[in-house]
Amino acid sequence: MEGLFFNVNGGYVEGIVRGYRNSLLSGQNYSNLTQCETIDDVKLQLAPSYGDFLASLSPNPSTSDLASRMTDKLVAEFKYLIAQATGSSAKFLEYMTYGYMIDNIALLITGTLHERDTRELLERCHPLGWFETLPVLCVATNIEELYNSVLIETPLAAYFKGSLSHQDLDELNIEIVRNTLYKNYLEDFYNFINTHPDFSGTPTQDVMAEILQFEADRRSINITLNSFGTELSKLERRKLYPEFGNLYPEGSLMLSRADDVEGVALAVSAVADYKAFFDAVGLSQGGGGLGGMGGGPADGKSLEDLFYQKEMDLSKLVFTRQFTPAVVYAWMKLKEQEIRNVTWISECIAQNQKERIGNFISVF
Amino acid sequence: MSGAVGREAVFPTRQSLGLMKNKLKGAEIGHSLLKRKSEALTKRFRDITRRIDEAKQKMGRVMQIAAFSLAEVSYAVGGDIGYQIQESAKQARFRVRTKQENISGVLLPTFESYTQEGVNDFGLTGLGKGGQQIQRCRETYARAVETLVELASLQTAFLILDEVIKVVNRRDINSELDELDREEFYRLKKVSGKKKRDVAAADAEILAARQKAEQEQAENPKEPAATATAIFAKEEETTDVLGEQEDNDVIF
């Protein structure tokens, strides 16, 4: 049923994205890239898919320059898509940018706390997380002002409301603020795709629910793992877990009680995928040492790598579905991974450390 | 060189002989002590040079690893975290304290690095993703800075020792005087050599000038006659040639 009228509004955007998808680097491209001797060679190899955007780079550019140009292209393409999208699709695309907005706001809050010139902070903001009232944040000189008069006007106001007060902004670690916002954002996004009349019961709901659940689980697991050995209390930690996902509620509860890596492994063991990841990197109890892996991670992959791999697999599968703006989300994730891959490869080339150059995730 | 000139004006009595003997003994002991000190310092100096070489090579390796671990972080986090880290760091975790080391009376400052446990300002950075990589990167960089501190400590010691060794060697009066003497002698030799050469050159010049002047003076009075003879001779020559040519013509 959803296929009947989707193309009236969303067909063009979807078509464009499928075109974009075809310009993603393939395994063949990657193997060419890994053969390169200099960054200039890398630039040359990227020319078919990045063309104009790399043209203005100086000879032998730094890897960060290269990455920022590639991001520029992603941004330009996404901006085109969001300009073309209408109705619920446009709303969906807007939701995608909120994640970047959270990062930008966290950056500006950090800057304001340290009384930096916020204007120079604006240059560091991610262009996708740009919204009209973002420069207004610069006007605020203290946190209370920032909270009362500025943040309220941003699209993220809802995520602040109810969970963070202006005192929190002052006292809490910015990372906690960021992760609280992100949790609220993920929950809101999840709610949006499940309840919006245009999306519920469509492929969008199917695929996005799966992706977002995975994202939520990944965040919970990462937060738990990264909080070991820091001053983050278990109670605070628990507040940062998104309240949905494959692990919610039992897994989350167990995660919140975990004291060490083995506790985390136990908490996630109910979900086959995550259990497999933990087994693969040898973090689960008795898994690594006995399995003949010599205690080291399997083929040099970290848990983070495996999560990325899983995310890419999910994103790739999205393209098997039709009549959904979820392809834009998937394309974006794939593109970001591609930029990370190229940065990694060029970094390996620049630093002449080729033994780990293959440590990227090629999707197609 | 300074034998007769440098002789001390001593009154030849038994008392002053004893005094002089004591003086000589003291000077000899002082000399040998200084010599030993200088040797100890030199030994240390060589040791430090070798360790600097090692530290520099180690630094190269460590910095490379550290830079690579930063690349890992940017891969895992997928962005630049530099700003965030800079802003959230409030207290120094990695600190340096100075100590003094005594090497035969020379105080050498040495830097010692230590980490202040419990200071972990950006422990939560990358909570959502990349946290482990960031912590790992931090450890690698801490090791890199450790190497740098070690190198700095060695280099400071190197500079100070270099200076001190020079001073100690200078205080070795005898050798210094000898050296000075040698230098002075050489300088004098050089100067006199140069002077001799200059004088010879000047003499030759003067002699040449004088001879020329004399000659000129001798020539001056009979100048017209000389020119006349010269012209005459020339004319004669020319005619001679012509005559010969004519002769030749005749022959042909």
Side-chain angles (χ1 to χ4, degrees), chain A residues 42-341:
Chain A
V42 173
K43 210 170 108 179
L44 201 68
Q45 289 290 338
L46 291 175
S49 29
Y50 285 89
D52 301 347
F53 284 85
L54 299 181
S56 57
L57 277 176
S58 57
N60 263 330
S62 72
T63 47
S64 55
D65 279 350
L66 189 69
S68 77
R69 291 305 158 91
M70 292 170 76
T71 313
D72 285 348
K73 179 157 194 274
L74 166 70
V75 171
E77 287 176 347
F78 183 78
K79 280 193 174 153
Y80 180 70
L81 290 176
I82 206 165
Q84 296 297 328
T86 54
S88 52
S89 296
K91 185 79 188 147
F92 180 89
L93 295 193
E94 265 173 42
Y95 260 102
M96 285 171 56
T97 64
Y98 289 170
Y100 302 96
M101 286 184 195
I102 291 173
D103 282 344
N104 284 352
I105 285 186
L107 183 75
L108 286 181
I109 290 177
T110 319
T112 316
L113 273 177
H114 293 90
E115 289 165 0
R116 286 302 163 104
D117 182 14
T118 27
R119 255 161 274 279
E120 79 179 62
L121 296 176
L122 284 179
E123 289 165 20
R124 295 171 180 272
C125 286
H126 197 289
L128 283 184
W130 188 270
F131 50 93
E132 271 177 27
T133 47
L134 188 66
V136 185
L137 283 156
C138 295
V139 177
T141 49
N142 61 51
I143 287 293
E144 197 176 339
E145 202 180 321
L146 185 76
Y147 185 78
N148 285 333
S149 55
V150 186
L151 286 178
I152 297 302
E153 301 294 324
T154 67
L156 302 178
Y159 305 147
F160 278 95
K161 221 162 106 187
S163 49
L164 290 166
S165 68
H166 69 81
Q167 279 97 349
D168 286 346
L169 290 187
D170 228 348
E171 288 157 10
L172 281 178
N173 190 304
I174 187 65
E175 278 300 312
I176 297 177
V177 174
R178 182 204 303 271
N179 284 290
T180 312
L181 289 177
Y182 214 91
K183 162 199 183 249
N184 291 341
Y185 156 64
L186 279 181
E187 285 171 3
D188 188 35
F189 199 1
Y190 188 68
N191 187 42
F192 170 72
I193 51 130
N194 278 314
T195 55
H196 195 280
D198 282 355
F199 293 136
S200 66
T202 65
T204 311
Q205 189 191 2
D206 289 353
V207 294
M208 282 312 292
E210 197 185 351
I211 289 179
L212 289 176
Q213 277 169 4
F214 168 71
E215 181 69 26
D217 294 341
R218 176 163 80 162
R219 287 197 82 81
S220 306
I221 295 172
N222 270 334
I223 287 172
T224 317
L225 287 177
N226 291 333
S227 70
F228 295 145
T230 64
E231 70 265 36
L232 190 68
S233 73
K234 283 183 184 172
L235 198 67
E236 281 174 327
R237 193 169 80 196
R238 193 177 174 187
K239 284 191 202 153
L240 301 177
Y241 298 151
E243 292 182 355
F244 66 98
N246 297 323
L247 292 175
Y248 184 79
E250 298 91 352
S252 300
L253 187 67
M254 284 168 81
L255 274 182
S256 70
R257 289 179 184 164
D259 283 315
D260 49 19
V261 179
E262 287 182 2
V264 179
L266 196 68
V268 301
S269 58
V271 182
D273 271 344
Y274 307 147
K275 190 174 188 308
F277 293 164
F278 274 76
D279 286 345
V281 295
L283 288 176
S284 64
Q285 52 205 58
L290 298 174
M293 284 183 266
D299 52 11
K301 293 232 188 257
S302 68
L303 194 61
E304 208 96 32
D305 289 339
L306 292 171
F307 277 136
Y308 273 133
Q309 181 74 54
K310 170 84 177 161
E311 186 183 29
M312 289 306 106
D313 289 346
L314 286 175
S315 300
K316 191 178 170 185
L317 281 179
V318 172
F319 283 95
T320 61
R321 312 299 284 264
Q322 231 184 327
F323 310 125
T324 165
V327 288
V328 183
Y329 186 93
W331 163 75
M332 187 106 126
K333 292 288 168 200
L334 289 168
K335 196 81 177 169
E336 281 184 339
Q337 181 64 39
E338 180 178 301
I339 293 172
R340 269 200 301 274
N341 286 343

Side-chain angles (χ1 to χ4, degrees), chain A residues 33 35-43 60 346 349-350 354:
Chain A
L33 281 174
Q35 302 298 315
C36 290
E37 292 292 329
T38 62
I39 307 289
D40 273 339
D41 292 347
V42 173
K43 210 170 108 179
N60 263 330
S346 42
I349 291 170
K354 292 220 173 163

Side-chain angles (χ1 to χ4, degrees), chain B residues 16-241:
Chain B
S16 60
L17 176 66
L19 225 67
M20 276 299 134
K21 273 190 175 161
N22 271 341
K23 258 192 186 173
L24 179 65
K25 209 174 172 189
E28 267 168 3
I29 289 174
H31 176 243
S32 83
L33 275 178
L34 277 174
K35 189 130 187 147
R36 259 186 279 163
K37 180 177 178 180
S38 153
E39 268 157 19
L41 290 178
T42 315
K43 179 177 175 289
R44 180 74 184 192
F45 189 67
R46 293 206 179 118
D47 183 41
I48 284 178
T49 323
R50 191 174 45 79
R51 272 163 59 197
I52 284 182
D53 179 43
E54 276 168 17
K56 283 204 170 162
Q57 284 179 7
K58 187 177 164 201
M59 184 188 72
R61 282 195 308 274
V62 171
M63 289 306 263
Q64 197 177 17
I65 297 171
F68 196 66
S69 75
L70 187 62
E72 273 179 10
V73 168
S74 59
Y75 177 76
V77 181
D80 188 17
I81 52 157
Y83 187 77
Q84 217 185 320
I85 301 274
Q86 283 166 32
E87 287 304 320
S88 52
K90 292 185 198 76
Q91 272 183 303
R93 174 182 156 89
F94 191 93
R95 297 172 186 214
V96 176
R97 67 162 84 88
T98 51
K99 280 203 316 193
Q100 279 191 324
E101 204 181 341
N102 195 337
I103 300 166
S104 46
V106 182
L107 294 179
L108 288 181
T110 48
F111 304 119
E112 202 182 57
S113 54
Y114 66 102
T115 42
Q116 184 90 10
E117 292 307 327
V119 178
N120 198 353
D121 275 338
F122 48 91
L124 290 177
T125 309
L127 194 60
K129 60 183 173 184
Q132 284 133 313
Q133 277 82 356
I134 290 174
Q135 298 308 321
R136 217 169 25 235
C137 180
R138 186 178 67 176
E139 278 157 29
T140 340
Y141 266 95
R143 272 206 296 283
V145 178
E146 224 166 82
T147 320
L148 282 182
V149 169
E150 195 187 318
L151 188 60
S153 163
L154 286 174
Q155 295 232 10
T156 321
F158 181 84
L159 285 179
I160 291 174
L161 264 187
D162 187 35
E163 198 60 33
V164 168
I165 286 176
K166 265 187 207 156
V167 171
V168 168
N169 285 345
R170 197 170 305 140
R171 272 157 60 183
D172 190 345
I173 300 172
N174 239 345
S175 65
E176 186 72 8
L177 275 181
D178 281 355
E179 178 69 27
L180 270 181
D181 275 352
R182 270 196 296 279
E183 259 174 35
E184 181 69 9
F185 186 61
Y186 183 72
R187 194 176 67 83
L188 284 178
K189 236 165 90 178
K190 262 280 195 231
V191 168
S192 71
K194 208 165 159 48
K195 263 190 183 153
K196 243 182 220 161
R197 210 178 55 219
D198 283 354
V199 167
D203 277 357
E205 216 170 282
I206 289 167
L207 201 69
R210 204 171 286 161
Q211 269 174 353
K212 208 177 162 190
E214 270 172 12
Q215 214 173 17
E216 268 174 14
Q217 243 172 14
E219 277 170 3
N220 258 346
K222 43 179 175 178
E223 200 179 27
T227 19
T229 25
I231 291 164
F232 185 64
K234 222 176 186 175
E235 266 175 0
E236 216 171 37
E237 218 174 23
T238 339
T239 39
D240 247 352
V241 168

